PDB file of all heavy atoms in Angstrom:
ATOM      1  N   GLY A 146     113.538 109.448  97.271  1.00  0.00           N
ATOM      2  CA  GLY A 146     112.494 108.896  96.303  1.00  0.00           C
ATOM      3  C   GLY A 146     112.789 109.452  94.984  1.00  0.00           C
ATOM      4  O   GLY A 146     112.780 108.807  93.912  1.00  0.00           O
ATOM      5  N   ILE A 147     112.988 110.818  94.879  1.00  0.00           N
ATOM      6  CA  ILE A 147     113.182 111.490  93.575  1.00  0.00           C
ATOM      7  C   ILE A 147     114.453 111.109  92.967  1.00  0.00           C
ATOM      8  O   ILE A 147     114.569 111.010  91.785  1.00  0.00           O
ATOM      9  CB  ILE A 147     113.054 113.043  93.755  1.00  0.00           C
ATOM     10  CG1 ILE A 147     112.914 113.722  92.385  1.00  0.00           C
ATOM     11  CG2 ILE A 147     114.129 113.635  94.569  1.00  0.00           C
ATOM     12  CD1 ILE A 147     112.584 115.168  92.479  1.00  0.00           C
ATOM     13  N   TYR A 148     115.445 110.838  93.810  1.00  0.00           N
ATOM     14  CA  TYR A 148     116.788 110.527  93.314  1.00  0.00           C
ATOM     15  C   TYR A 148     116.897 109.163  92.750  1.00  0.00           C
ATOM     16  O   TYR A 148     117.472 108.951  91.798  1.00  0.00           O
ATOM     17  CB  TYR A 148     117.759 110.703  94.487  1.00  0.00           C
ATOM     18  CG  TYR A 148     119.227 110.561  94.078  1.00  0.00           C
ATOM     19  CD1 TYR A 148     119.830 111.648  93.545  1.00  0.00           C
ATOM     20  CD2 TYR A 148     119.984 109.357  94.335  1.00  0.00           C
ATOM     21  CE1 TYR A 148     121.150 111.609  93.126  1.00  0.00           C
ATOM     22  CE2 TYR A 148     121.277 109.268  93.897  1.00  0.00           C
ATOM     23  CZ  TYR A 148     121.933 110.412  93.397  1.00  0.00           C
ATOM     24  OH  TYR A 148     123.209 110.328  92.985  1.00  0.00           O
ATOM     25  N   GLU A 149     116.121 108.174  93.319  1.00  0.00           N
ATOM     26  CA  GLU A 149     116.264 106.833  92.911  1.00  0.00           C
ATOM     27  C   GLU A 149     115.039 106.371  92.156  1.00  0.00           C
ATOM     28  O   GLU A 149     114.851 105.197  91.780  1.00  0.00           O
ATOM     29  CB  GLU A 149     116.546 105.925  94.062  1.00  0.00           C
ATOM     30  CG  GLU A 149     117.992 106.042  94.545  1.00  0.00           C
ATOM     31  CD  GLU A 149     118.233 105.319  95.824  1.00  0.00           C
ATOM     32  OE1 GLU A 149     117.234 104.908  96.505  1.00  0.00           O
ATOM     33  OE2 GLU A 149     119.391 105.189  96.183  1.00  0.00           O
ATOM     34  N   GLY A 150     114.013 107.277  91.875  1.00  0.00           N
ATOM     35  CA  GLY A 150     112.839 106.990  91.180  1.00  0.00           C
ATOM     36  C   GLY A 150     111.986 105.929  91.834  1.00  0.00           C
ATOM     37  O   GLY A 150     111.385 105.079  91.190  1.00  0.00           O
ATOM     38  N   THR A 151     111.875 106.018  93.176  1.00  0.00           N
ATOM     39  CA  THR A 151     111.041 105.105  93.948  1.00  0.00           C
ATOM     40  C   THR A 151     109.895 105.900  94.570  1.00  0.00           C
ATOM     41  O   THR A 151     109.868 107.098  94.553  1.00  0.00           O
ATOM     42  CB  THR A 151     111.849 104.420  95.048  1.00  0.00           C
ATOM     43  OG1 THR A 151     112.526 105.342  95.789  1.00  0.00           O
ATOM     44  CG2 THR A 151     112.826 103.434  94.421  1.00  0.00           C
ATOM     45  N   GLY A 152     109.020 105.206  95.304  1.00  0.00           N
ATOM     46  CA  GLY A 152     107.915 105.892  95.976  1.00  0.00           C
ATOM     47  C   GLY A 152     106.969 106.443  94.913  1.00  0.00           C
ATOM     48  O   GLY A 152     106.509 105.915  93.941  1.00  0.00           O
ATOM     49  N   MET A 153     106.610 107.847  95.218  1.00  0.00           N
ATOM     50  CA  MET A 153     105.737 108.470  94.322  1.00  0.00           C
ATOM     51  C   MET A 153     106.404 108.814  92.900  1.00  0.00           C
ATOM     52  O   MET A 153     105.660 109.276  91.982  1.00  0.00           O
ATOM     53  CB  MET A 153     105.145 109.789  94.990  1.00  0.00           C
ATOM     54  CG  MET A 153     106.240 110.798  95.290  1.00  0.00           C
ATOM     55  SD  MET A 153     105.553 112.302  96.055  1.00  0.00           S
ATOM     56  CE  MET A 153     104.753 113.110  94.665  1.00  0.00           C
ATOM     57  N   PHE A 154     107.629 108.670  92.760  1.00  0.00           N
ATOM     58  CA  PHE A 154     108.297 108.878  91.487  1.00  0.00           C
ATOM     59  C   PHE A 154     108.636 107.547  90.843  1.00  0.00           C
ATOM     60  O   PHE A 154     109.478 107.462  89.946  1.00  0.00           O
ATOM     61  CB  PHE A 154     109.594 109.644  91.736  1.00  0.00           C
ATOM     62  CG  PHE A 154     109.366 111.002  92.382  1.00  0.00           C
ATOM     63  CD1 PHE A 154     109.551 111.271  93.661  1.00  0.00           C
ATOM     64  CD2 PHE A 154     108.890 112.007  91.548  1.00  0.00           C
ATOM     65  CE1 PHE A 154     109.289 112.455  94.274  1.00  0.00           C
ATOM     66  CE2 PHE A 154     108.657 113.265  92.042  1.00  0.00           C
ATOM     67  CZ  PHE A 154     108.808 113.559  93.443  1.00  0.00           C
ATOM     68  N   ASP A 155     107.826 106.519  91.152  1.00  0.00           N
ATOM     69  CA  ASP A 155     108.007 105.254  90.536  1.00  0.00           C
ATOM     70  C   ASP A 155     107.675 105.378  89.027  1.00  0.00           C
ATOM     71  O   ASP A 155     106.818 106.079  88.581  1.00  0.00           O
ATOM     72  CB  ASP A 155     106.952 104.230  91.195  1.00  0.00           C
ATOM     73  CG  ASP A 155     107.399 102.840  90.888  1.00  0.00           C
ATOM     74  OD1 ASP A 155     108.584 102.590  90.699  1.00  0.00           O
ATOM     75  OD2 ASP A 155     106.539 101.937  90.830  1.00  0.00           O
ATOM     76  N   GLY A 156     108.598 104.702  88.263  1.00  0.00           N
ATOM     77  CA  GLY A 156     108.416 104.771  86.784  1.00  0.00           C
ATOM     78  C   GLY A 156     109.242 105.858  86.200  1.00  0.00           C
ATOM     79  O   GLY A 156     109.236 106.135  84.987  1.00  0.00           O
ATOM     80  N   ASP A 157     110.012 106.641  87.040  1.00  0.00           N
ATOM     81  CA  ASP A 157     110.833 107.635  86.536  1.00  0.00           C
ATOM     82  C   ASP A 157     112.107 107.076  85.850  1.00  0.00           C
ATOM     83  O   ASP A 157     112.681 107.662  84.948  1.00  0.00           O
ATOM     84  CB  ASP A 157     111.329 108.425  87.747  1.00  0.00           C
ATOM     85  CG  ASP A 157     110.531 109.760  87.888  1.00  0.00           C
ATOM     86  OD1 ASP A 157     109.520 109.829  87.298  1.00  0.00           O
ATOM     87  OD2 ASP A 157     111.043 110.664  88.651  1.00  0.00           O
ATOM     88  N   PHE A 158     112.476 105.957  86.288  1.00  0.00           N
ATOM     89  CA  PHE A 158     113.778 105.382  85.744  1.00  0.00           C
ATOM     90  C   PHE A 158     113.543 104.768  84.366  1.00  0.00           C
ATOM     91  O   PHE A 158     112.738 103.798  84.114  1.00  0.00           O
ATOM     92  CB  PHE A 158     114.201 104.274  86.690  1.00  0.00           C
ATOM     93  CG  PHE A 158     115.451 103.562  86.200  1.00  0.00           C
ATOM     94  CD1 PHE A 158     116.614 104.338  85.963  1.00  0.00           C
ATOM     95  CD2 PHE A 158     115.504 102.212  86.009  1.00  0.00           C
ATOM     96  CE1 PHE A 158     117.777 103.712  85.488  1.00  0.00           C
ATOM     97  CE2 PHE A 158     116.714 101.581  85.571  1.00  0.00           C
ATOM     98  CZ  PHE A 158     117.810 102.370  85.323  1.00  0.00           C
ATOM     99  N   LEU A 159     114.047 105.471  83.366  1.00  0.00           N
ATOM    100  CA  LEU A 159     113.894 105.060  81.982  1.00  0.00           C
ATOM    101  C   LEU A 159     115.011 104.131  81.515  1.00  0.00           C
ATOM    102  O   LEU A 159     114.991 103.731  80.392  1.00  0.00           O
ATOM    103  CB  LEU A 159     113.712 106.201  81.011  1.00  0.00           C
ATOM    104  CG  LEU A 159     112.643 107.259  81.364  1.00  0.00           C
ATOM    105  CD1 LEU A 159     112.572 108.347  80.332  1.00  0.00           C
ATOM    106  CD2 LEU A 159     111.310 106.565  81.409  1.00  0.00           C
TER     107      LEU A 159
END
Side-chain angles (χ1 to χ4, degrees):
Chain A
I147 191 170
Y148 189 77
E149 287 172 349
T151 51
M153 62 180 286
F154 299 100
D155 197 25
D157 261 14
F158 179 55
L159 301 185

